[in-house]
């Protein structure tokens, strides 16, 4: 009872647990009260029936109390079914209304028995009571024959099937009870005959209800007819047992057997009140499963007319007119049923043709290629758009495979894609370049598994779109975007360099206009020198950002660099920021340019300082990291391998997502105008990527910022950071130097510096002039100082020509180009001497003396020889 109570008071689908929801008409809080009252009333009535049957004094002559209780139970069952109909929609509501109608007819027969008493019950001849109790279940048959897919129209085929069953039932009933002469024979024999006919009727009804329950493909429909089938099964058992005992023992109402009639009624109340309505009933396609073909209704058009014909042929002796009418009626219904079936099939066929025409119109009217392949890769379907892509007709493609239509490599790629889709059962999207005719075009293809009616994958359904022109337009757009980026980039460079040139030109003119004021001119020259230094630094940052600067990597330990930088970082960020170094004691080595790593630390520290205007903490950490395949997290895009992780974090103001997306862009800065160039983090990014590493940033407003740098770990021994004893070279110079550069001002500057240092300088502006100068010079040429890139030739070609005649000449290259240009010229090989522009007079003299005096104290190497350099 507790379980039933929970089912009755459970919220309906679509109704919140905390209260009722209006699901069907007139549904609300009163529905709970009605269901509870009906359940309690049915339980009390069943107990009362047991009490009445157990008290002899309540046994009246006409069993009035027992009949009244059964009448009340019938009314309660009808009300419960009406309530289930109220809580349902569509097909479920219709079914419960028919069930309520059947129960009402049955209860009406019970009312006749209660009103007229035993006299009506004991009458051995057929009467209205027997007709009611034989045909009360007709609405249930109508419910079993109904079609849940029929909406707002009369379902003729189920209706005709139902009519056939009614005709069969009437013919059977007439055959048994229509001959009055039979009722003058043995009463017990007629009682057994009535029992047999009722059993046959119950078997037919149960077959319809349970057949519908097992044949339906919709879970709610199965549940609905299982409930009605369970109720009718209980009634059939009671009917069979009661009528058999009545015929065998000649019992009459008023015994304990009357409980057999009360139990089905109570069960009807329970199955109706515990029904949970679902809007899916009658909305889904309905009974379309393979099990439905075994239902009794499929046999009705053929079997029922034959059975009626056999029965009516036996009735001709006592009811010829009625028998003939039944035969004509049943064959008329069968004919109408066949006509309705034919009309339905023609209507379905017409709808199928319309659907096929619509589908064909869609397939042929689209500009995408639509095709179908079987499991072997043969084309089963190809629309005209796809055929145009291949330069063929659909008839020429169907039946062939990709190997017969495309190049071998392309066909193999298509076959692998198809096989992957069929094996995985999942759709795939890919972009392939296919050669059709003399042109190669790009296709964006979506492939889905093609399944049969059982859900087995038997091929591939594909849709391909020619995106060649779209990709061309996208490439043009990317080029335009790159040009726009170059314009922005050039604008930033022009802005900074114009500022520096303004300073240089302005102070130069001031100095030229006041030659008699050396004190002022000294200040002007200092400002010019300072501006030139800023310009040189800006060029270095630009090269670092573009990853074009020349690195001098060494195997180093990051702990050594961090330790050596701590004091300098402290001066850079100020006393209000605490610096904490958390270094791994067994840190692996990396191969990087120590000076560039120092610049990375300085730029990150400067960025953190600006993010902590009121002070905070700067934390530098190092650790070993081993990333495996399939790793996830913040470093998910870093390739697997062994790395050294350098982490720089601060407790500053942090950055939002939009700022983080742009921090590595050149000239992007959140600082006020004039407070930053926007190249600091761009330089960091360029250095890290050129060093083979990866950098990631994590930040949030108010949560600080964390930079993580992954540098590949190497197994080579660490080279010491501190340089060895410097080579002491004499300050003066007496050697002869051949200077080759196409820039006249630069040549004049270098000649001035070298001449003042005591060197003899021979000048040339290009390769031919250099050869003439070298050929006309009678003495030795100790050093060839040449630019890498010259008009019509290169520094290496000049070195080969001159050193071919002068084996004693040493070689020193110089250039202002980026690193990849120097590499392409064959200069940056191991041991080659190189001087990067711009350079100061001190740096020029230091490098020249270093090359010229490399033979002192037995340290001569062949690295500076022209023959090696060339």
């Amino acid at each position: 009872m507790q379980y039933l109570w929970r089912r009755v008071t459970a919220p309906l689908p679509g109704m919140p647990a905390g209260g009722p929801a209006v699901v069907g008409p007139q549904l609300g809080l009163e529905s709970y009260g009605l269901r509870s009252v009906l359940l309690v009333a049915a339980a009390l009535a069943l107990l009362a029936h047991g009490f009445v049957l157990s008290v002899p004094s309540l046994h009246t002559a006409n069993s009035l109390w027992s009949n009244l209780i059964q009448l009340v139970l019938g009314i309660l069952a009808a009300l419960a079914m009406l309530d289930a109909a109220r809580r349902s929609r569509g097909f479920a509501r219709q079914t419960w209304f028919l069930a309520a109608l059947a129960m009402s007819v049955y209860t009406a027969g019970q009312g006749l028995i209660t009103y007229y008493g035993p006299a009506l019950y004991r009458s051995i001849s057929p009467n209205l009571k027997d007709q009611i109790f034989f045909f009360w279940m007709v609405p249930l048959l109508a419910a079993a024959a109904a079609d849940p897919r029929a909406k707002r129209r009369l379902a003729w085929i189920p209706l005709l099937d139902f009519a056939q069953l009614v005709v069969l039932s009437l013919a059977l009933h007439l055959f048994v009870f229509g001959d009055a002469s039979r009722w003058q024979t043995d009463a017990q024999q007629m009682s057994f005959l009535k029992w047999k006919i009722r059993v046959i009727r119950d078997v037919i009804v149960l077959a319809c209800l349970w057949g519908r329950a097992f044949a339906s493909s919709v879970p709610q429909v199965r549940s609905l007819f299982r409930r009605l089938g369970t109720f009718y099964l209980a009634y059939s058992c009671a009917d069979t047992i009661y009528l058999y005992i009545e015929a065998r023992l000649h019992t009459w109402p008023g015994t304990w057997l009357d409980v057999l009639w009360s139990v089905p009624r109570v069960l009807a109340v329970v199955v109706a009140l515990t029904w949970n309505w679902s809007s899916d009933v009658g909305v889904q396609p309905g009974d379309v499963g393979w099990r439905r073909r075994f239902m009794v209704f499929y046999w009705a058009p053929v079997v029922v007319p034959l059975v009626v014909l056999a029965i009516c042929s036996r009735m001709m002796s006592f009811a010829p007119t009625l028998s003939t009418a039944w035969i004509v009626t049943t064959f008329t219904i069968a004919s109408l049923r066949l006509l309705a079936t034919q009309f339905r099939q023609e209507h379905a066929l017409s709808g199928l043709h319309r659907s096929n025409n619509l589908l064909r119109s869609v397939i042929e009217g689209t500009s995408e290629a639509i095709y179908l392949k079987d499991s072997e890769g043969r084309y089963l379907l190809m629309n005209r758009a796809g055929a145009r892509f291949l330069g063929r007709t659909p008839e020429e493609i169907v039946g062939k495979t990709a190997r017969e239509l495309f190049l071998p490599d392309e066909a193999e790629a298509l076959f692998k894609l198809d096989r992957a889709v069929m094996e995985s059962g999942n759709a795939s999207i890919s972009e392939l370049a296919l050669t059709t005719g003399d042109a190669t075009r790009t296709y964006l293809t979506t492939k889905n598994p093609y399944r049969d009616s059982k859900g087995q994958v038997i091929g591939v359904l594909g849709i391909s779109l020619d995106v060649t022109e779209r990709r061309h337009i996208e490439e043009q757009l990317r080029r335009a975007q790159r040009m726009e980026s170059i314009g922005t980039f050039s604008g930033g460079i022009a802005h900074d360099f114009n500022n520096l040139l303004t300073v240089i030109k302005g102070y130069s003119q001031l100095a030229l206009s006041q030659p008699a004021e050396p004190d002022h001119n000294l200040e002007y020259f200092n400002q010019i020198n300072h501006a030139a230094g800023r310009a040189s630094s800006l060029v270095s940052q630009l090269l670092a950002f573009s990853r074009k600067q020349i690195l001098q990597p060494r195997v180093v330990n990051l702990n050594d660099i961090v330790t050596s930088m701590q004091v300098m970082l402290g001066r850079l960020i100020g006393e209000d920021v605490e610096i904490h170094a958390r270094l791994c004691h067994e840190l692996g080595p990396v191969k990087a340019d120590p000076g560039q790593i120092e610049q990375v630390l300085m730029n990150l520290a400067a960025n953190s300082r600006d993010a902590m205007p009121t002070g905070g903490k700067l934390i530098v950490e190092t650790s070993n990291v081993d990333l495996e395949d399939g790793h996830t997290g913040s470093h998910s895009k870093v390739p697997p391998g062994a790395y050294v992780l350098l982490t720089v974090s601060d407790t500053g103001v942090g950055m939002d997502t939009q700022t983080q997306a742009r921090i590595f862009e050149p000239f992007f800065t959140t600082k006020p105008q004039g407070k930053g160039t926007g190249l600091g983090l761009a330089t960091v990014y360029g250095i890290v990527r050129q060093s083979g590493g990866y950098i990631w940033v994590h930040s949030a407003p108010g949560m600080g910022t964390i930079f993580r740098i992954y540098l590949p770990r190497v197994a080579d021994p660490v080279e010491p950071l501190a340089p060895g004893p410097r080579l002491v070279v004499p300050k003066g110079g007496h050697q002869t130097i051949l200077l080759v550069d196409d820039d006249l001002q630069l040549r004049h500057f270098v000649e001035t510096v070298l001449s003042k240092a005591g060197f003899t300088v021979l000048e040339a502006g290009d390769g031919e002039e250099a050869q003439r100068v070298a050929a006309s010079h009678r003495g030795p040429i100790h050093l060839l100082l040449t630019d890498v890139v010259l008009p019509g030739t290169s520094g290496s070609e000049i070195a080969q020509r001159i050193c071919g005649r002068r084996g004693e000449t040493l070689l020193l290259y110089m250039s202002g180009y980026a690193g990849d240009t120097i590499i392409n010229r064959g200069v940056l090989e191991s041991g080659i001497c190189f001087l990067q522009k711009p350079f100061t007079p001190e740096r020029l003299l230091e490098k020249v003396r270093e090359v010229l005096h490399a033979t002192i104290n037995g340290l001569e190497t062949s690295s500076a020889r022209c023959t090696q350099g060339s």
Side-chain angles (χ1 to χ4, degrees):
M1 288 299 293
Q2 291 180 352
Y3 170 75
L4 293 178
W5 183 263
R6 288 196 300 269
R7 290 297 303 270
V8 169
T9 58
L12 302 177
M15 180 179 297
V22 178
V23 181
Q26 302 177 357
L27 265 182
L29 186 61
E30 67 275 4
S31 179
Y32 288 118
L34 176 62
R35 296 163 68 190
S36 303
V37 169
L38 291 176
L39 181 63
V40 173
L44 293 177
L46 182 62
L47 293 176
H49 197 186
F51 176 75
V52 167
L53 295 176
S54 63
V55 178
S57 60
L58 297 179
H59 286 195
T60 60
N62 57 1
S63 302
L64 179 61
W65 289 108
S66 181
N67 288 332
L68 283 174
I69 291 174
Q70 292 185 41
L71 180 63
V72 170
L73 284 173
I75 295 173
L76 293 175
L79 291 176
M81 291 177 175
L82 286 174
D83 181 69
R86 283 200 313 169
R87 293 182 283 109
S88 304
R89 289 180 182 172
F91 177 71
R93 170 180 287 188
Q94 169 189 323
T95 302
W96 280 115
F97 270 129
L98 290 173
L101 176 61
M103 182 56 65
S104 299
V105 173
Y106 183 78
T107 305
Q110 183 66 45
L112 288 176
I113 294 177
T114 304
Y115 183 77
Y116 288 105
L120 181 65
Y121 193 88
R122 287 189 172 90
S123 176
I124 196 64
S125 61
N127 51 57
L128 182 61
K129 179 262 299 181
D130 287 308
Q131 309 302 326
I132 292 175
F133 283 147
F134 190 85
F135 290 106
W136 73 270
M137 27 55 64
V138 169
L140 280 180
L141 283 176
D147 188 353
R149 295 170 293 177
K151 299 178 181 178
R152 300 181 180 178
R153 68 179 186 270
L154 190 60
W156 285 104
I157 291 179
L159 181 62
L160 292 172
D161 290 339
F162 166 69
Q164 285 281 40
L165 294 176
V166 172
V167 171
L168 175 62
S169 301
L170 290 173
L172 186 62
H173 192 270
L174 181 63
F175 172 72
V176 175
F177 302 109
D179 190 357
S181 62
R182 292 187 180 183
W183 293 96
Q184 308 303 323
T185 60
D186 186 11
Q188 186 179 29
Q189 182 181 359
M190 291 305 300
S191 297
F192 273 114
L193 183 59
K194 182 172 67 172
W195 170 73
K196 291 178 182 178
I197 296 301
R198 294 271 280 271
V199 168
I200 294 174
R201 179 207 66 182
D202 291 342
V203 169
I204 294 175
V205 176
L206 286 173
C208 294
L209 294 175
W210 283 99
R212 189 62 179 274
F214 284 108
S216 177
S217 61
V218 182
Q220 290 82 1
V221 173
R222 292 201 299 268
S223 174
L224 176 60
F225 282 99
R226 276 200 300 265
R227 290 171 181 274
L228 295 177
T230 301
F231 154 68
Y232 198 83
L233 178 62
Y235 167 80
S236 300
C237 292
D239 192 36
T240 302
I241 296 172
Y242 192 94
L243 291 180
Y244 181 83
I245 295 177
E246 181 185 62
R248 188 81 175 174
L249 304 177
H250 302 284
T251 58
W252 307 106
T255 66
W256 277 97
L257 289 176
D258 290 353
V259 178
L260 291 174
W261 301 116
S262 298
V263 172
R265 292 177 172 91
V266 175
L267 184 60
V269 173
V270 171
V271 297
L273 294 181
T274 56
W275 163 256
N276 287 330
W277 168 82
S278 173
S279 60
D280 292 336
V281 178
V283 175
Q284 296 188 14
D287 302 339
V288 293
W290 62 270
R291 294 168 292 184
R292 191 186 178 193
R293 68 187 62 176
F294 298 103
M295 289 183 61
V296 67
F297 300 117
Y298 279 88
W299 311 336
V302 177
V303 176
V304 172
L306 296 177
V307 174
V308 172
L309 179 62
I311 293 174
C312 291
S313 65
R314 302 285 297 272
M315 293 167 47
M316 286 295 182
S317 59
F318 61 87
T321 303
L322 197 57
S323 298
T324 303
W326 288 144
I327 293 174
V328 173
T329 301
T330 187
F331 278 100
T332 300
I333 294 174
S335 300
L336 292 175
R337 211 282 190 180
L338 292 176
L339 289 175
T341 302
Q342 183 178 1
F343 175 78
R344 185 173 182 176
Q345 290 176 346
E346 290 178 353
H347 181 73
L349 185 61
S350 176
L352 181 61
H353 283 314
R354 289 194 300 270
S355 298
N356 286 340
N357 291 335
L358 177 62
L359 180 61
R360 181 170 295 276
S361 299
V362 172
I363 292 177
E364 296 297 339
T366 183
S367 59
E368 291 84 2
I370 300 178
Y371 52 88
L372 193 65
K373 296 181 182 180
D374 63 11
S375 58
E376 301 300 325
R378 286 186 294 268
Y379 285 93
L380 304 177
L381 170 69
M382 173 65 75
N383 68 344
R384 297 193 179 279
R388 285 197 303 270
F389 289 168
L390 302 182
R392 301 170 182 258
T393 62
E395 293 75 14
E396 294 174 337
I397 297 175
V398 173
K400 295 183 179 180
T401 65
R403 293 186 175 91
E404 301 174 72
L405 301 171
F406 301 103
L407 297 177
D409 293 342
E410 298 173 351
E412 189 64 26
L414 290 173
F415 181 79
K416 289 181 179 179
L417 286 175
D418 294 343
R419 182 58 56 187
V421 170
M422 289 188 290
E423 291 178 354
S424 66
N426 299 320
S428 71
I429 300 177
S430 58
E431 190 171 299
L432 292 174
L434 300 177
T435 302
T436 55
D438 297 332
T440 300
R441 304 189 68 82
T442 303
Y443 296 94
L444 180 64
T445 301
T446 301
K447 293 188 177 183
N448 289 276
Y450 172 51
R451 303 177 186 272
D452 59 12
S453 59
K454 298 180 181 179
Q456 299 294 325
V457 178
I458 59 174
V460 173
L461 173 63
I463 301 177
S464 297
L465 176 64
D466 188 348
V467 294
T468 305
E469 299 301 327
R470 181 183 301 178
R471 295 295 178 261
H472 180 65
I473 294 174
E474 290 175 355
E475 179 61 27
Q476 289 180 331
L477 177 60
R478 282 192 291 268
R479 290 177 181 175
Q481 291 174 337
R482 285 197 294 267
M483 293 301 296
E484 182 179 358
S485 299
I486 291 173
T488 303
F489 187 74
S490 301
I493 295 175
H495 173 270
D496 287 353
F497 268 103
N498 282 335
N499 289 342
L500 296 174
L501 291 175
T502 300
V503 172
I504 294 173
K505 291 180 67 176
Y507 280 114
S508 299
Q509 291 180 1
L510 288 175
L512 292 173
S513 64
Q514 305 178 86
E517 299 183 13
D519 294 338
H520 290 86
N521 290 345
L522 181 60
E523 175 63 23
Y524 298 156
F525 293 144
N526 287 333
Q527 293 294 339
I528 293 172
N529 183 62
H530 180 67
R534 288 175 56 195
S536 177
S537 176
L538 180 59
V539 170
S540 298
Q541 288 183 324
L542 290 174
L543 291 176
F545 157 72
S546 60
R547 290 175 257 170
K548 303 290 186 178
Q549 82 276 37
I550 301 172
L551 298 183
Q552 298 179 353
R554 301 167 57 187
V555 179
V556 296
N557 189 308
L558 293 186
N559 288 347
D560 298 336
I561 298 177
V562 173
T563 302
S564 64
M565 288 285 295
Q566 273 189 279
V567 176
M568 184 182 299
L569 292 179
R571 296 171 182 166
L572 173 67
I573 63 178
E575 297 180 355
D576 55 347
V577 176
E578 301 178 19
I579 300 179
H580 298 274
R582 301 172 182 173
L583 307 180
C584 175
H585 295 296
E586 298 180 357
L587 190 68
V590 298
K591 191 169 186 179
D593 188 325
Q596 298 296 335
I597 298 300
E598 290 177 356
Q599 186 174 354
V600 167
L601 285 172
M602 291 184 64
N603 287 2
L604 292 179
N607 192 72
S608 297
R609 175 200 60 197
D610 296 335
M612 298 182 289
T614 60
K617 292 183 179 180
L618 175 66
I619 303 173
V620 182
E621 301 177 75
T622 59
S623 61
N624 295 320
V625 175
D626 293 294
L627 302 181
E628 301 178 352
D629 290 331
H631 61 273
T632 59
S634 61
H635 49 264
S636 58
K637 295 184 179 180
V638 180
Y643 294 89
V644 172
L645 174 60
L646 174 62
T647 305
V648 179
S649 57
D650 61 58
T651 58
V653 296
M655 296 177 284
D656 56 23
T657 306
Q658 291 78 8
T659 303
Q660 293 180 56
R662 301 188 60 192
I663 57 172
F664 295 125
E665 294 182 11
F667 301 106
F668 172 76
T669 179
T670 58
K671 301 173 185 177
Q673 180 131 16
K675 297 296 184 180
T677 63
L679 284 174
L681 292 179
T683 300
V684 170
Y685 182 85
I687 292 174
V688 171
R689 293 299 292 128
Q690 191 175 7
S691 302
Y694 302 87
I695 182 170
W696 302 99
V697 60
H698 301 269
S699 184
M703 302 298 293
T705 302
I706 301 175
F707 286 92
R708 290 188 174 94
I709 298 173
Y710 295 85
L711 294 175
R713 203 160 68 233
V714 298
D716 300 332
V718 175
E719 303 177 29
L721 285 180
R726 291 181 59 85
L727 186 65
V728 179
V729 296
K731 297 295 182 180
H734 58 277
Q735 294 93 337
T736 299
I737 299 175
L738 175 57
L739 172 62
V740 184
D741 199 296
D742 60 323
D743 190 303
L744 180 60
Q745 285 186 311
L746 177 65
R747 216 166 53 238
H748 181 67
F749 162 70
V750 174
E751 190 274 335
T752 302
V753 173
L754 294 177
S755 298
K756 287 187 176 182
F759 295 102
T760 301
V761 180
L762 307 176
E763 295 184 47
D766 53 35
E768 294 182 0
E769 185 179 359
Q771 290 186 61
R772 289 198 301 270
V773 171
S776 62
H777 183 69
R778 299 300 180 183
I781 298 178
H782 300 89
L783 176 67
L784 173 61
L785 176 58
T786 179
D787 196 2
V788 174
V789 181
L790 292 166
T793 184
S794 66
S796 59
E797 293 178 359
I798 295 175
Q800 291 177 358
R801 295 169 185 171
I802 294 177
C803 296
R805 299 178 180 178
R806 298 177 178 270
E808 78 284 359
T809 303
L810 301 176
L811 176 63
L812 175 60
Y813 287 112
M814 59 179 175
S815 180
Y817 278 98
D820 57 351
T821 303
I822 308 304
I823 293 173
N824 293 335
R825 298 288 177 169
V827 174
L828 291 185
E829 300 175 3
S830 177
I832 297 300
C833 298
F834 178 78
L835 180 62
Q836 177 71 53
K837 298 176 184 178
F839 46 77
T840 63
E842 292 81 4
R843 177 58 182 161
L844 171 62
L845 291 174
E846 179 182 5
K847 192 66 179 178
V848 167
R849 289 167 177 158
E850 177 183 333
V851 175
L852 288 174
H853 296 277
T855 58
I856 297 179
N857 298 326
L859 296 177
E860 180 180 2
T861 66
S862 61
S863 61
R865 293 291 178 184
C866 289
T867 54
Q868 299 294 327
S870 59

